[in-house]
Amino acid sequence: MELFLITDGSVAANILKISADTDTQTAIHTLFIEQNDDFEATFTDEVEFCGGYTTNENECFCINGFDDTLGVIDAINRPSAIPEWDPETISVYNIRALFVGIPGRGESATKVLLQSFDKRQIIDNTRTLFQNITRDKKTFSLAKSEGLSLDVKLTAILLGDKLFFKNFNNLRRIFNVDSYFREATKEELVIFSKHSHFKLNDGFDFDVIADSVIRKKVTLINKSCILQNKSVNELSNAAQQLGVDIEVDSSDINNPKIVMPMLRKDVKRLLAFLDEDYFISQITHTKFRSNSKVIAK
């Protein structure tokens, strides 16, 4: 099992192969397989990634249709095409992740086991004395090389185009996944506020009141396509059933519009409704606010 590294943005080659002897490769294989087994035994339930959801102890996130722009799967399937890492040319400080994998066979998809890597895993031997085993064993020499240590657990598993992970922030150290959980830009806020479902008061400027929470909500609402899939009347009826106060301008009976509030707290309440944060218990008929968009099984 070959060991590969992923470099940071300052190196032209994204992926390099770490040369190791047979015994080391065997040890690496055993270590990663054990971590894979531990990951799968610990996280028995998978949840489609949702930025506002906190996983339980036995849950991990998954992203279907993950775009492997780095090419880690290609590296596993064609390791001979990957150049070897030369520590004299590219420093150990340029490493941001390590990975191994199992090539796909027949109906089985290629599997990649990934660990994030940081400077704490660098072993700086330049101030370490080692016993000299080739000369006088009583003589110690100052080491001139650096090393690296492997992590005790996996950060992610990529199986074909399905990505499994526990911690989104750790995952970001390996892949560029901002598109899966990011804040809306100023341009996206303008486009959102000008949607045909909304009526804006004079002087309304979304960018002025848009904090991080609002920007993330706009991204999630755009992703859900709820404004495209539901009419203003449908949304208004749902708000009434939930007891959520939203103002609707029905001066044009054929084209009602939701009035965008001017106050930040009211905008957040509207966005929380559109992001389906509210629900009513069918048992107590109490209105709750949810922190999850995970569909219950």
Side-chain angles (χ1 to χ4, degrees):
M1 181 175 281
E2 302 274 10
L3 177 64
F4 300 88
L5 63 85
I6 299 174
T7 61
D8 59 24
S10 65
V11 180
N14 286 328
I15 297 175
L16 296 169
K17 182 168 53 180
I18 298 177
S19 178
D21 57 37
T22 302
D23 289 342
T24 302
Q25 287 186 350
T26 300
I28 290 170
H29 176 274
T30 300
L31 177 67
F32 273 87
I33 292 300
E34 288 177 349
Q35 292 184 4
N36 171 80
D37 294 343
D38 183 62
F39 187 101
E40 294 180 345
T42 303
F43 308 124
T44 54
D45 294 332
E46 61 187 65
V47 177
E48 185 172 354
F49 177 65
C50 173
Y53 181 69
T54 301
T55 56
N56 295 323
E57 289 184 1
N58 65 320
E59 293 177 332
C60 70
F61 286 122
C62 68
I63 296 176
N64 291 291
F66 180 74
D67 187 9
D68 176 25
T69 56
L70 278 178
V72 295
I73 287 181
D74 286 342
I76 298 302
N77 291 332
R78 299 189 304 119
S80 60
I82 305 300
E84 288 190 352
W85 173 44
D86 180 2
E88 297 296 323
T89 303
I90 299 174
S91 170
V92 67
Y93 288 91
N94 293 121
I95 300 175
R96 63 185 167 111
L98 301 169
F99 69 93
V100 302
I102 304 169
R105 293 287 186 271
E107 298 296 323
S108 300
T110 298
K111 190 173 193 179
V112 186
L113 312 178
L114 301 114
Q115 295 182 350
S116 60
F117 185 88
D118 62 35
K119 294 179 180 179
R120 291 172 295 181
Q121 293 170 250
I122 297 174
I123 302 172
D124 185 358
N125 288 325
T126 57
R127 294 185 299 276
T128 304
L129 299 179
F130 284 98
Q131 185 180 14
N132 197 320
I133 61 174
T134 60
R135 300 177 184 174
D136 182 358
K137 293 184 178 180
K138 297 180 181 179
T139 302
F140 285 77
S141 301
L142 188 66
K144 298 180 180 179
S145 62
E146 295 169 329
L148 55 88
S149 62
L150 302 178
D151 204 346
V152 296
K153 61 184 177 181
L154 297 180
T155 302
I157 296 175
L158 180 59
L159 182 61
D161 65 349
K162 190 169 186 177
L163 184 65
F164 301 89
F165 61 97
K166 181 67 175 179
N167 186 289
F168 184 77
N169 287 327
N170 289 340
L171 183 70
R172 292 178 67 183
R173 291 161 59 184
I174 303 176
F175 297 112
N176 182 2
V177 286
D178 287 348
S179 61
Y180 296 96
F181 184 57
R182 63 178 181 82
E183 298 180 1
T185 64
K186 180 177 181 179
E187 182 181 2
E188 288 169 333
L189 290 175
V190 172
I191 294 173
F192 178 83
S193 64
K194 290 184 177 180
H195 191 280
S196 59
H197 277 13
F198 298 128
K199 176 182 178 181
L200 305 182
N201 291 298
D202 293 340
F204 180 85
D205 188 340
F206 216 162
D207 190 52
V208 172
I209 61 171
D211 57 14
S212 180
V213 172
I214 287 177
R215 291 176 186 275
K216 288 176 181 177
K217 278 296 182 188
V218 169
T219 296
L220 292 171
I221 293 168
N222 284 337
K223 185 177 179 180
S224 73
C225 297
I226 195 167
L227 295 178
Q228 287 71 37
N229 297 331
K230 298 296 180 181
S231 67
V232 170
N233 286 331
E234 289 176 308
L235 294 172
S236 177
N237 291 336
Q240 290 179 11
Q241 294 175 24
L242 288 169
V244 178
D245 184 23
I246 64 172
E247 182 181 355
V248 176
D249 182 356
S250 300
S251 55
D252 183 348
I253 194 171
N254 295 318
N255 188 28
K257 293 181 180 292
I258 298 172
V259 178
M260 184 67 72
M262 293 292 284
L263 298 180
R264 179 184 285 121
K265 65 181 182 65
D266 296 331
V267 171
K268 288 185 175 180
R269 185 180 299 111
L270 172 61
L271 297 182
F273 163 70
L274 294 176
D275 193 33
E276 300 183 89
D277 280 357
Y278 299 109
F279 70 97
I280 293 178
S281 168
Q282 295 302 305
I283 298 175
T284 63
H285 303 291
T286 303
K287 182 173 71 175
F288 293 101
R289 184 162 180 175
S290 170
N291 70 340
S292 166
K293 303 300 178 300
V294 178
I295 298 175
K297 297 180 180 178

